[in-house]
């Protein structure tokens, strides 16, 4: 039965290869943010006891999984990627229904999952370490990657399939097992993913799904002594709390947190191209990407022609259900997001000049959803609150500056450092920007969104804690280095001593 048209049913946890109810006996609902009358399903409100069972199951499965040859593990990832591709449309529709992004973007989200599954499937035949000469004769040295153990995977709703895949694929291919706690806004997406993981042949216990509140399920994962590595994507305050809690157990924690990404537009830019890049980055996914552009930093001489283009184009964007092909911008994810964005409109009115938007979507058909108009503020100063704080909605601030140096200063003057971009036709300036922009990702003549899965993804400053997802860099989060020395000389050789004169 297609879950998208099914009656709302009650979904279960996935522990030790079985779909089971929570021991706590409570459930929560997931609803369509474009029309909250549409109930997607009831999901288990997991408890600390459920998490403990999931961790035990992951530990047990790990004993075998870590001994399974990595190329064999990779084959299962490959099958999972193929299943995602086969079910792409069904998954994308379920995603749009559950979290709102327009269907083309939901397809892109699934595609990102496919891409990382295939990339990491290939890692099953790489997982490279080093072999290197020893400083002593008749001695050999190498380093290998080893799995860490049970990985706690705590994910957000905005990329409800791509981000879990970014985390689980490298964790699994390198021999770890997983306890997966998805956002309570997207438990259905998580369930569909895990169903396909089971179908792909991940052995019982290698992947466990526990839905439920962060305060209970997330907390139980983070505080468990038996989950040595945690990967979390979400807001900075939660990440900070989580890292603090995990530090008492000396856990490895990989954090992908907030962003306040900026697009620099210089006087020599192609303004039409810049306009396309800005609109896509600011209002795609209704501004709910960590990589979304919420600041445009423009040389004063081009502010007016740029604003004229942005205003005209933003006004033409159609709000609606992401399942309708005419829709450009879907709803915000929930009522909390709507009230947060609305609150920032008041702040923005005090700090800048409202150019367009600033209101809930009010046209017919939108009354049951969390819609908000694409919003632009002009005349914003770099240190204003709307230019500093992550709003996570369709709100863009335009900040005028005098020149390139002013743009660099404004761009870098935020606590985050995920993505940035510059529009210029000058190659020398573009290279300066690659050097000067203090972000983990830099785009030249493109917006701030659209990272590809074979490059490292992550940011500087309070965007994270130095780890990167995706690319082979992701393996660093989920593996422990082991250095191995083999002495075949037949006698004791002392490093640093026996090869030195005297
Ligand atoms: C996120 O918003 O956390 O680069 C992830 C992008 C996407 C991933 C975004 N590929 O916008």
């Amino acid at each position: 039965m297609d879950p998208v048209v099914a009656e709302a049913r009650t979904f279960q946890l996935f522990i030790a290869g079985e779909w089971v109810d929570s021991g706590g006996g409570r459930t929560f609902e997931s609803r369509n943010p474009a029309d909250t009358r549409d109930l997607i399903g009831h999901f288990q409100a997991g408890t600390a006891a459920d998490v403990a069972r999931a961790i035990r199951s992951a530990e047990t499965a790990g004993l075998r999984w870590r001994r399974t040859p990595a190329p064999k593990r990779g084959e299962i990832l490959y099958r999972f990627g193929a299943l995602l591709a086969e079910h792409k449309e069904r998954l994308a529709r379920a995603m749009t229904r559950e979290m709102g992004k327009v269907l083309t973007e939901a397809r892109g989200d699934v595609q990102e999952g496919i891409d990382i599954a295939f990339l990491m499937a290939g890692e099953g035949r790489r997982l490279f370490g080093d072999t290197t000469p020893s400083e002593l004769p008749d001695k050999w040295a190498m380093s290998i990657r080893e799995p860490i153990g049970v990985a706690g995977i705590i994910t957000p709703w905005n990329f409800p399939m791509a981000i879990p895949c970014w985390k689980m694929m490298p964790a699994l291919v390198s021999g770890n097992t997983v306890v997966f706690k998805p956002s309570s806004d997207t438990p259905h997406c998580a369930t569909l993913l895990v169903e396909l993981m089971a179908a792909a042949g991940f052995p019982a216990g290698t992947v466990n799904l526990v839905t439920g509140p962060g305060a209970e399920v997330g907390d139980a994962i983070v505080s468990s002594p038996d989950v040595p590595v945690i990967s979390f994507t979400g807001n900075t305050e939660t990440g900070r709390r989580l890292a603090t809690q995990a530090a008492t157990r000396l856990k490895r924690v990989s954090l992908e947190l907030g962003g306040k990404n900026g697009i620099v537009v210089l006087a020599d830019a192609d303004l039409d191209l810049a306009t396309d890049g800005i609109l896509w980055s600011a209002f795609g996914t209704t501004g709910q990407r960590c990589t979304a552009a919420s600041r445009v930093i423009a040389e004063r001489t081009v502010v007016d022609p740029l604003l004229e283009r942005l205003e005209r184009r933003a006004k033409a964007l159609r709000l609606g259900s992401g399942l309708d092909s005419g829709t450009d911008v879907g709803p915000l994810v929930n009522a909390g997001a709507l009230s947060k964005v609305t609150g920032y409109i008041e702040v923005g009115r005090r700090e800048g000049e409202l150019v367009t938007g600033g209101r809930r979507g009010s046209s017919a058909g939108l009354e049951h959803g969390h819609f908000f108009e694409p919003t632009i503020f002009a005349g914003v100063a770099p240190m204003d609150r709307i230019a500093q704080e992550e709003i996570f909605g369709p709100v863009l601030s335009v900040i005028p500056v005098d020149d390139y140096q002013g743009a660099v200063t404004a761009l870098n003057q935020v606590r985050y450092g995920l993505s940035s971009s510059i529009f210029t036709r000058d190659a020398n300036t573009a290279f300066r920007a690659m050097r000067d922009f203090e972000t983990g990702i830099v785009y030249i003549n493109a917006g701030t969104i659209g990272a590809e899965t074979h490059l490292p993804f992550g940011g500087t400053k309070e965007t994270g804690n130095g780890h990167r997802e995706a690319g082979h860099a992701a393996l660093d989060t989920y593996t422990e280095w082991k250095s191995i020395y083999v002495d075949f000389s037949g006698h004791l050789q002392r490093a640093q001593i026996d090869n030195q004169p005297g």
Side-chain angles (χ1 to χ4, degrees):
M1 182 166 45
D2 184 348
V4 174
V5 294
E7 284 293 296
R9 56 176 254 226
T10 301
F11 294 86
Q12 294 178 297
L13 309 177
F14 191 64
I15 298 176
E18 308 277 345
W19 292 97
V20 294
D21 285 342
S22 163
R26 283 177 298 123
T27 60
F28 64 99
E29 293 179 345
S30 176
R31 288 180 178 270
N32 179 345
D35 183 344
T36 54
R37 294 169 303 180
D38 177 20
L39 176 63
I40 291 164
H42 305 274
F43 294 84
Q44 305 295 314
T47 62
D50 297 324
V51 171
R53 280 167 56 220
I55 294 170
R56 270 200 309 280
S57 127
E59 274 185 323
T60 308
L63 300 174
R64 217 176 238 268
W65 184 243
R66 63 189 293 139
R67 300 269 179 269
T68 304
K72 285 279 157 216
R73 296 196 296 251
E75 283 171 21
I76 301 175
L77 269 77
Y78 183 83
R79 281 205 291 280
F80 172 62
L83 280 175
L84 282 180
E86 187 185 324
H87 292 266
K88 182 171 174 180
E89 191 61 21
R90 173 173 76 89
L91 297 172
R93 286 184 176 274
M95 187 187 306
T96 296
R97 181 178 174 217
E98 190 169 45
M99 57 68 69
K101 67 169 78 172
V102 296
L103 197 49
T104 41
E105 293 188 37
R107 292 188 189 115
D109 190 315
V110 180
Q111 186 59 47
E112 215 162 321
I114 298 168
D115 294 345
I116 195 81
F118 287 162
L119 176 73
M120 288 296 153
E123 280 302 331
R125 288 191 180 268
R126 287 188 295 269
L127 282 173
F128 292 139
D130 297 320
T131 57
T132 181
S134 165
E135 64 187 42
L136 289 157
D138 297 332
K139 190 175 168 191
W140 186 66
M142 65 177 169
S143 62
I144 60 170
R145 288 185 187 274
E146 295 230 305
I148 303 178
V150 178
I153 304 295
I154 305 177
T155 58
W157 48 266
N158 69 333
F159 276 80
M161 297 200 185
I163 291 179
C165 290
W166 285 4
K167 297 182 189 301
M168 291 195 280
M169 295 300 111
L172 288 163
V173 80
S174 46
N176 304 280
T177 53
V178 160
V179 175
F180 170 29
K181 183 250 175 284
S183 161
S184 292
D185 284 305
T186 49
H188 189 219
C189 289
T191 304
L192 296 176
L193 263 192
V194 171
E195 280 174 5
L196 288 184
M197 292 177 86
F202 284 102
T206 48
V207 181
N208 302 275
L209 170 70
V210 185
T211 51
E216 171 107 22
V217 175
D219 189 81
I221 293 172
V222 175
S223 57
S224 167
D226 301 319
V227 181
V229 52
I230 307 278
S231 180
F232 169 79
T233 298
N235 74 61
T236 297
E237 292 332 308
T238 310
R240 197 188 304 277
R241 234 185 12 254
L242 190 154
T244 308
Q245 194 182 350
T248 60
R249 297 202 182 269
L250 306 178
K251 291 188 187 204
R252 188 179 304 195
V253 179
S254 165
L255 301 172
E256 290 297 343
L257 309 173
K260 193 68 194 175
N261 312 297
I263 295 181
V264 170
V265 183
L266 295 184
D268 69 347
D270 175 340
L271 288 189
D272 292 326
L273 177 63
T275 303
D276 286 341
I278 293 166
L279 287 164
W280 171 229
S281 303
F283 303 131
T285 329
T286 321
Q288 302 172 109
R289 293 193 190 212
C290 309
T291 49
S294 51
R295 301 182 295 150
V296 165
I297 299 158
E299 272 192 284
R300 240 172 257 286
T301 50
V302 289
V303 166
D304 286 344
L306 186 63
L307 271 175
E308 183 271 315
R309 286 168 169 82
L310 289 173
E311 180 182 353
R312 180 163 38 82
R313 295 271 305 276
K315 281 195 163 117
L317 294 173
R318 285 155 303 183
L319 289 180
S321 160
L323 291 169
D324 298 339
S325 57
T327 297
D328 297 306
V329 180
L332 289 163
V333 69
N334 57 31
L338 189 60
S339 88
K340 180 176 178 193
V341 170
T342 309
Y344 272 105
I345 300 307
E346 290 320 304
V347 177
R349 280 180 194 278
R350 288 195 296 273
E351 294 178 335
E353 175 208 335
L354 181 67
V355 175
T356 182
R359 290 173 311 195
R360 289 189 66 156
S362 57
S363 42
L366 303 187
E367 53 275 19
H368 297 291
H370 306 299
F371 292 95
F372 202 87
E373 292 178 346
T375 299
I376 301 174
F377 286 102
V380 176
M383 297 309 287
D384 282 344
R385 279 185 61 199
I386 50 167
Q388 288 290 320
E389 297 173 18
E390 188 178 44
I391 301 172
F392 225 64
V395 181
L396 180 69
S397 295
V398 178
I399 302 168
V401 290
D402 292 331
D403 51 19
Y404 171 76
Q405 204 42 57
V408 171
T409 305
L411 184 93
N412 290 337
Q413 235 170 12
V414 287
R415 51 199 273 246
Y416 302 112
L418 183 53
S419 184
S420 60
S421 117
I422 186 166
F423 285 87
T424 176
R425 287 191 172 100
D426 185 313
N428 293 349
T429 311
F431 272 86
R432 275 185 207 114
M434 294 177 215
R435 179 196 60 197
D436 296 339
F437 289 7
E438 295 168 355
T439 54
I441 304 169
V442 177
Y443 290 91
I444 307 298
N445 290 324
T448 52
I449 68 178
E452 302 175 27
T453 59
H454 52 301
L455 277 78
F457 180 95
T460 62
K461 306 188 216 169
E462 293 186 33
T463 289
N465 59 347
H467 291 276
R468 291 292 182 268
E469 305 207 82
H472 56 78
L475 299 173
D476 296 339
T477 296
Y478 301 102
T479 56
E480 200 86 80
W481 282 111
K482 181 179 276 178
S483 299
I484 301 172
Y485 301 93
V486 183
D487 192 319
F488 53 98
S489 69
H491 58 271
L492 177 69
Q493 301 196 87
R494 298 171 303 173
Q496 292 91 39
I497 297 171
D498 289 336
N499 61 343
Q500 299 300 316

